[in-house]
Structure formats: C-alpha cells, structure tokens
Amino acid sequence: MAGIHFLEDHRTWVLTGGSSTYALRLDEDDVPTHVHWGPKLSTEDVPELLAKPLPRWDGFNDPNEGLDELAADGGTKYWTPALQVRFADGTRALEWRYRTHEITRDHLEIHFEDRHYPLRITLHYRLKTDVLERWTELAADTDVEVVRADSATWVLPVRDDYRLSHVTGRWAAETQLHRTSAAHGETTFASRRGITGHHANPWVMVDDGTATERHGEVYGVALAWSGSWRLTVTRSSTGRLTVCGGFGQDGVTHRVGPGNPLTTPVIAGLRTRGGFGAAGRAWHAYVREHVLPHPRELRPVLYNSWEATGFDVDEKNQRTLAERAAALGAELFVVDDGWFGARTGDHAGLGDWHVNRERFPGGLEPLVAAVHGLGMKFGIWVEPEMVNPDSDLYRTHPDWVLHQLHRRRSQLRNQLVLNFARPDVRRWAHDWLDRLVGDHGVDFLKWDMNRPFSEAGWPGDADPDRLWVEHTRAVYALLDRLRHDHPRLRIEACSGGGGRIDLGMLARADQVWTSDNTDALDRLRIQHGYGQLYPARAMSAWVTDNPNFVTGRSMPLRFRFHVAMAGVLGIGGDIVHWPGEDLALARELIALYKDIRPVVQHGALYRLRPPVDDGIVAFQYVHEDRAVVFAYRQAAHFAAPERPLRLDGLASADRYIDSDAGTTHSGAVLLTRGLPLGLPTGDFASRVVRLKRIDR
C-alpha cells in the first residue's frame, strides 16, 4: 500500500511510492538507520530485512558503518559525515535520542535531540510519487557551531560494482555527460562559487555498471539549491556506497542558536527500472508536476534582442525588431542588456536601474504598448545581484558588495556581487523590481547573474559566513514575492548561460537559459546532458545567426531551428537583416513548433540515438496520442546507407499516421524495424516527423 507507515514493534518507518519502497529504523542507540531503498515491498515484508547488526570484524572495521540516515561525526563513526557540530565546550560528537515523530499524509517528520546538549534535529521525508524528498532541521537553545549540515545521507543497495553518471562543463560548454566507475574512497562534486556553477551540477546517478538507455536499475540524487553545494559519493572496501549532499563548503560554518534555526535544502532521491531513459522520464515528470511554478502552461516562442543590437539598444531599433518578430510568429519580445543607466557596455551602469532617457525618451511605456499591440508579451533583462564599480549605486553604497577588509575587490566582467543577505540590499532590490514590473506591465524577466562570488565577506557582521546561505535564500524570497505580487509575471533564470540550473531555481523560474553557446551542433550535446534530469519544458533554446558568435561555425537555418525546437523555442538573430527566404522558412518552422509544442514541452522523452559520435542523433517525445521524432545527421561519412530508426514509447497494437507524408505505420513495426528517416543528403541534415495514433 502506498503511503507512510510506522511499525511500532520494530521502530521502523516504511515509505512506499508507486514502484519503490524506502525504509528506516531506530537502532538500539536511537540512531536513525537505513533499512531498504529499492523495489516495492509490503509493510509485512520489511521486518524480514531487520537483521541484527553484525559484530565488528576487529578494532578497525565495522561492517555496519555507512548505514546512518544522516551520518553524524562522533564516536567510532568514520564514514563521510553529513552532520558535524561543535558545542561551546569543544565537544564535537553527537549522540542521538529519539523524541517523537509525525506522519501527515505524504510527510514524515522524525524528531531527535542530543543526549546532553540542547540541540534538536528533525529529519524530514516527503513522498512525491516515486521521488522521495529529504531535508533536515537543526535548532538549539544555546549557540552551536555547525561545521557541516548536509540534507541527507542516501544508502544504496550493495552491488558488485557501481558506476556514476554526472555532468561537467564550463562557460559555453555546460552539462557534458560522463559515466565512470565509482572510485573507492570519497568522490566529491561541488561548487564553491556561490552559484550552482557551469562546471558541475548538483545531481548524480548510480547504477551497477550494466544499465543502458532502456534497461537496468538506476538510482539518482539531486539537490534543490542554487548557491555553493557539495555531493559526496563514498565507496568503501566493504562494498557499501552512499551519497550525501547539501549546501555549504569547507571552511564555511553555520551558527544555530536561540531564534536562529537552520533548515537545509531539499535533496531528492529516485530509484527506477528501465535504464537511464526511464530515470530521465521520471525526473522530468517530477520536475513538471512538483517543482515548476506553472507546470500546465506552454512556454511561448520568444524573441530576444541581444545578438541583434548588443548594448546599442534604443526605442527605434527595438520597435523594428518587435515588428519583425511578431510577423514571424513570436509571442514574447525581450529587451536585453543596455536599456538602463549609463549602460553602453559592460563597464558601467549596472546597479542604476532607471530607464536611459536618451535611448527611450518616453520611458519604456511606448515600447511596451507597441509590443502588446503587436500581440506579444513584453520581457526585459535584469541582473539584480550585480553592480559595476562605475555606477551611482556603488559610489553611494560601496559597503553593499561582498568584500573583506584589507583585500582587493576582484572584478569579473567589470562587476562586483551585491550582498543580498543584507536587509537594506534586499529592500532596494525589491523596490526597483516591483516598480519595473508593476509600472510598465512587464510580463517576463530574464534574471541574469554573470559572475561567481569572491572576497565573500561581510565586515562588521557577527556571523559573516551566513551570507553564503542567506544570499541564495534572499534571491529565492525576492522571486517568490515578485511572483506573488504579480501573478502574471514569468521568469527565466540565467547565469552566464547555464550557471544556475537546479531544482531550487526551477521552483521559481518558468524556464532556464541553458547555455550562452547557441551553436546547434554543440547544443545537441549540451541539451543531451541537461535532459538527463531536467525537462524540455524549461529548456530555453535559441536560433541565432551564422556564423555562431561562440564557435564561428555556420549551419543551415533548418538545422538550427530543429535543434532549438527540441526545447522552449527562442529566436536571437538579427532578423532585420535576414533574407526573405530565411524569414519565410522561419515563419514555417515557428508554426510547426507551435503545433508540436504540447508534445515537446509536456511529453515523455525517449533518447533513440544519443550524441556519442558525429553521426546520427535522434530522440522522440510522446504525449497522449501524438509522437514527435527529431533526427539529425551531424556529418556524413563514406556514403553510409541510412538505417531505419527504431522508435520507443508507442503502442505496438496501434497504427500511426505521418502528419506530413500521409503514410501510416504499424506501431509494432516502428518499435522493431524502425522508421525510415529520409534525411536530406550532406552534413547538418535534419528532419522532424509528426506521428498521430489512429484507429486500426
């Protein structure tokens, strides 16, 4: 039976979702101890798993080590600690004592305290179908220094081997997928930058080394946090593997005391069968249904002015672009950087959020009215967390930025980071954002953040380390407040491209800017890594000009469109100078995208041929009675004959009609022999196939 149950005689809790069961118990010392995470079990089956702890092998090896639900430092526990505390008298070890628990439908709270010190710990478990969300609360009656506070420790079943899947990257090369054998010892994925980061992302998947796209058991853990973070995979010589994770980094501590509790971010876990494809679809369903603010919406086709005008923004050129974008079928027009203050480049003006009257003599109102009159929504770029030293704001409030005494203030992109942990900075940011949205009828904010933290200090504050957590929480609170006060407002999260993509930001952003690299060939790989966990419904993807500004590569317009149409379609080129045939093709493909958009944004993704080489890449979305197949030839070699593409996710007993060719296909044949692609000849060839289920 699905739900949460307490087996009082065994001091065991059983949490059962759609196809998985999770169980934990209290050991003889009241330590919360892992029992099971795996296939669905009945509550009657679970007691059979409650074997007595094994005796120590010797003075150095404990076969039960690594089973704690929140591995705490202390005693003879030497596993990677998820919780480290230091009491005022220097004591570090934690000794658990169970107090009580509460079960409210899908939510379990288990309350503990330390046996001697006034520290209280609450472990939270919340079921979302087959995803289990976990987090921890700490509270104390006297000041306690918390050296490390991860959200949870996840204990995986013992397997003969373990393989890790994760992504790495850099600016313009985010989310590159890697699958490697788990090393013995500790493997840590982390960001110390104050943001999620381009170089890694806070999730990891684990399998036994045999899982494929379609077969095998896969476990995944993902952290909902947009600041500095850490995930540690620990593999012991005894064969056990755990994953613990949370916010924070080495050298940064938290203080807990009267009136100052600490709540860690959610860390979500998911176990699936059916390989990496099933894991991805389950994560996508979870994000769409339980994370995104408006899961049922369809994201509009967007036009952004950045690549057309750069910083050279004025009312006239934006009106011209808006008229051309509306004629193509765009539904949202976004003015990018350069509309405010002395912002004629990236060297000045950031922080002075007032309309540049030389560029917009009548303010933004005439342009907003023109865009709305063209039948489009109006959006605008902002970067609230940053300031240029060459700005009125910085000259007035130099103390508002992150800084340390007697240390330089390092600039990146000529910017410094504002300290959003400060109440005065938060009030200032809310005031101008609230006016911008409310006074001008802004429908959409592109919220950017173009550099990581440095010199992250807060001189004069009694607890300067708290800024690492409170900055991110202040950003969350501001986004939440803007949404509440302006229910029609929609938001895109950006951080120099994909530097702030995570479950925490997706709970507040309707879409995310995946990468500053819009090169369609590179995007196939970036989007492949992104899609391991995050859904197309939130993946912003643009069609831009030839040659691409990052790579210098030129590709056919149809290929560029087909790659961007696999997510939330946007246009970012200088469309005023596109030739007539390109404009005509763009109108045709935008209309096609609007037809397939429900399938792409709400459908289940099947990765048919991933981008592991430079040959064919193909994937498919299935939603209700429709399927959309995307196929791309990156490079043609040796005149190799084209093979049919085996599809997935269809009903073998049904028939499907190709909406463009008019041909019908047996579902069974499409699943076994495959679909003839009929790609055009040559490199950078692509095709989109629309299939609809019909009665036999």
Side-chain angles (χ1 to χ4, degrees):
M1 181 185 298
I4 303 174
H5 304 276
F6 180 55
L7 309 183
E8 187 169 2
D9 291 345
H10 302 283
R11 302 211 302 170
T12 296
W13 294 270
V14 181
L15 301 91
T16 301
S19 62
S20 298
T21 293
Y22 190 96
L24 68 147
R25 67 180 178 90
L26 298 176
D27 73 5
E28 61 277 7
D29 294 321
D30 276 4
V31 176
T33 303
H34 182 74
V35 174
H36 174 78
W37 185 22
K40 194 170 184 177
L41 298 175
S42 70
T43 54
E44 292 77 15
D45 292 334
V46 171
E48 292 187 33
L49 302 174
L50 305 178
K52 291 184 178 180
L54 296 171
R56 293 184 69 94
W57 296 344
D58 49 47
F60 297 94
N61 297 286
D62 181 357
N64 307 298
E65 192 174 29
L67 286 174
D68 291 0
E69 283 286 289
L70 186 72
D73 200 8
T76 59
K77 307 264 187 178
Y78 304 107
W79 203 262
T80 304
L83 179 61
Q84 291 177 295
V85 298
R86 184 184 293 116
F87 298 102
D89 61 5
T91 298
R92 294 173 179 262
L94 180 73
E95 292 189 355
W96 299 83
R97 177 158 56 198
Y98 169 69
R99 295 169 58 209
T100 185
H101 74 271
E102 300 169 29
I103 297 175
T104 309
R105 287 194 293 182
D106 63 352
H107 187 185
L108 167 64
E109 300 179 32
I110 313 177
H111 303 281
F112 299 88
E113 62 188 5
D114 186 84
R115 290 184 179 274
H116 177 78
Y117 297 94
L119 175 67
R120 297 179 296 281
I121 308 105
T122 301
L123 304 185
H124 290 265
Y125 300 78
R126 185 167 58 200
L127 273 173
K128 298 293 185 183
T129 313
D130 271 328
V131 172
L132 181 61
E133 298 177 339
R134 296 177 60 187
W135 68 98
T136 298
E137 285 185 272
L138 302 174
D141 297 329
T142 60
D143 288 341
V144 177
E145 183 180 13
V146 179
V147 178
R148 179 167 179 165
D150 286 353
S151 298
T153 300
W154 297 89
V155 182
L156 275 72
V158 174
R159 297 290 185 259
D160 292 334
D161 199 5
Y162 301 97
R163 177 174 57 177
L164 307 181
S165 297
H166 63 101
V167 291
T168 64
R170 54 179 172 80
W171 175 80
E174 298 91 334
T175 56
Q176 304 299 297
L177 179 64
H178 297 273
R179 293 202 166 109
T180 56
S181 178
H184 285 78
E186 297 182 2
T187 302
T188 299
F189 308 100
S191 169
R192 301 183 182 91
R193 303 171 186 240
I195 54 174
T196 318
H198 301 76
H199 61 291
N201 200 266
W203 64 263
V204 65
M205 295 187 193
V206 184
D207 74 291
D208 65 0
T210 66
T212 65
E213 188 66 24
R214 298 185 179 189
H215 304 286
E217 189 177 41
V218 177
Y219 289 81
V221 171
L223 180 67
W225 185 246
S226 309
S228 292
W229 57 272
R230 163 177 53 200
L231 289 177
T232 303
V233 179
T234 304
R235 182 179 183 180
S236 75
S237 57
T238 63
R240 182 161 292 127
L241 184 139
T242 66
V243 181
C244 63
F247 54 19
Q249 62 197 67
D250 293 342
V252 174
T253 61
H254 315 275
R255 293 187 187 177
V256 176
N260 187 34
L262 180 68
T263 302
T264 69
V266 164
I267 189 167
L270 171 67
R271 174 261 177 195
T272 54
R273 293 202 61 82
F276 296 109
R281 289 186 290 277
W283 279 113
H284 298 168
Y286 164 70
V287 175
R288 286 196 303 264
E289 296 301 319
H290 301 293
V291 179
L292 288 170
H294 301 283
R296 304 297 180 187
E297 286 186 356
L298 291 173
R299 303 307 308 135
V301 176
L302 169 156
Y303 178 82
N304 182 286
S305 67
W306 173 250
E307 291 203 15
T309 56
F311 290 105
D312 187 19
V313 173
D314 60 37
E315 183 178 334
K316 181 180 178 181
N317 63 30
Q318 297 302 293
R319 276 180 178 263
T320 301
L321 287 167
E323 291 166 359
R324 189 62 59 91
L328 292 178
E331 300 158 309
L332 166 63
F333 181 83
V334 182
V335 178
D336 213 282
D337 201 348
W339 58 270
F340 57 93
R343 190 70 169 171
T344 58
D346 68 5
H347 62 284
L350 198 58
D352 299 337
W353 297 101
H354 52 83
V355 179
N356 185 315
R357 291 288 175 158
E358 293 182 5
R359 296 180 166 198
F360 297 88
L364 290 176
E365 289 86 348
L367 177 60
V368 175
V371 169
H372 286 161
L374 291 166
M376 296 185 293
K377 294 183 181 297
F378 179 82
I380 199 162
W381 178 94
V382 294
E383 193 171 6
E385 299 159 77
M386 297 292 151
V387 65
N388 288 129
D390 185 3
S391 68
D392 293 339
L393 179 71
Y394 184 76
R395 285 184 282 270
T396 305
H397 297 289
D399 56 323
W400 278 12
V401 301
L402 302 180
H403 68 285
Q404 296 175 353
L405 296 177
H406 314 300
R407 294 293 180 264
R408 71 178 66 190
R409 300 186 179 193
S410 300
Q411 296 183 34
L412 294 171
R413 205 173 182 241
N414 303 308
Q415 297 177 185
L416 298 170
V417 183
L418 291 167
N419 181 1
F420 265 50
R422 294 179 59 121
D424 47 3
V425 174
R426 296 198 297 269
R427 287 193 298 269
W428 162 84
H430 172 264
D431 287 348
W432 72 259
L433 281 163
D434 185 59
R435 288 195 306 271
L436 175 67
V437 174
D439 293 352
H440 299 92
V442 170
D443 305 294
F444 180 91
L445 288 178
K446 180 172 182 176
W447 184 299
D448 210 344
M449 206 266 196
N450 273 310
R451 62 153 294 178
F453 289 7
S454 63
E455 292 87 41
W458 189 352
D461 189 79
D463 182 16
D465 276 1
R466 66 190 174 100
L467 72 85
W468 289 93
V469 169
E470 290 191 15
H471 181 104
T472 299
R473 287 198 166 141
V475 171
Y476 286 171
L478 181 50
L479 291 169
D480 292 343
R481 186 175 176 186
L482 287 171
R483 283 188 169 281
H484 178 270
D485 293 344
H486 305 280
R488 295 174 58 187
L489 179 67
R490 301 295 180 261
I491 295 171
E492 178 177 276
C494 175
S495 180
R500 210 188 228 171
I501 298 174
D502 57 80
L503 296 178
M505 188 53 66
L506 283 171
R508 295 157 176 90
D510 300 276
Q511 59 198 63
V512 289
W513 183 225
T514 324
S515 177
D516 283 347
N517 186 351
T518 57
D519 179 294
L521 197 61
D522 286 351
R523 270 298 185 112
L524 287 175
R525 285 161 174 75
I526 292 170
Q527 294 174 186
H528 177 63
Y530 165 96
Q532 299 297 309
L533 195 99
Y534 306 117
R537 160 65 177 71
M539 183 179 72
S540 185
W542 292 1
V543 178
T544 56
D545 291 333
N546 276 333
N548 184 270
F549 88 100
V550 171
T551 66
R553 181 163 35 220
S554 294
M555 283 166 284
L557 184 62
R558 186 180 299 274
F559 188 86
R560 284 177 275 150
F561 258 97
H562 284 170
V563 172
M565 288 162 63
V568 176
L569 177 63
I571 317 298
D574 188 0
I575 54 177
V576 170
H577 295 100
W578 281 15
E581 58 270 25
D582 283 359
L583 294 172
L585 179 58
R587 281 192 292 270
E588 173 190 327
L589 293 173
I590 289 171
L592 172 62
Y593 177 74
K594 290 178 180 178
D595 175 69
I596 65 174
R597 173 168 49 186
V599 186
V600 172
Q601 294 189 15
H602 292 161
L605 171 64
Y606 294 86
R607 295 181 286 258
L608 306 176
R609 291 184 187 169
V612 295
D613 54 31
D614 63 355
I616 299 292
V617 175
F619 45 86
Q620 168 192 350
Y621 294 98
V622 178
H623 181 58
E624 296 177 346
D625 62 349
R626 300 183 67 192
V628 177
V629 179
F630 290 85
Y632 312 90
R633 181 190 297 114
Q634 301 171 90
H637 292 284
F638 308 113
E642 188 176 275
R643 295 176 293 149
L645 178 69
R646 287 180 58 197
L647 304 190
D648 206 340
L650 305 180
S652 61
D654 290 336
R655 295 191 67 80
Y656 294 83
I657 186 169
D658 184 323
S659 300
D660 297 299
T663 54
T664 62
H665 304 271
S666 158
V669 172
L670 292 174
L671 293 170
T672 53
R673 184 185 68 187
L675 174 74
L677 286 176
L679 285 170
T681 59
D683 297 345
F684 306 133
S686 58
R687 187 182 175 205
V688 175
V689 180
R690 295 179 289 173
L691 299 173
K692 183 175 177 60
R693 187 174 60 207
I694 57 175
D695 296 330
R696 281 188 175 272

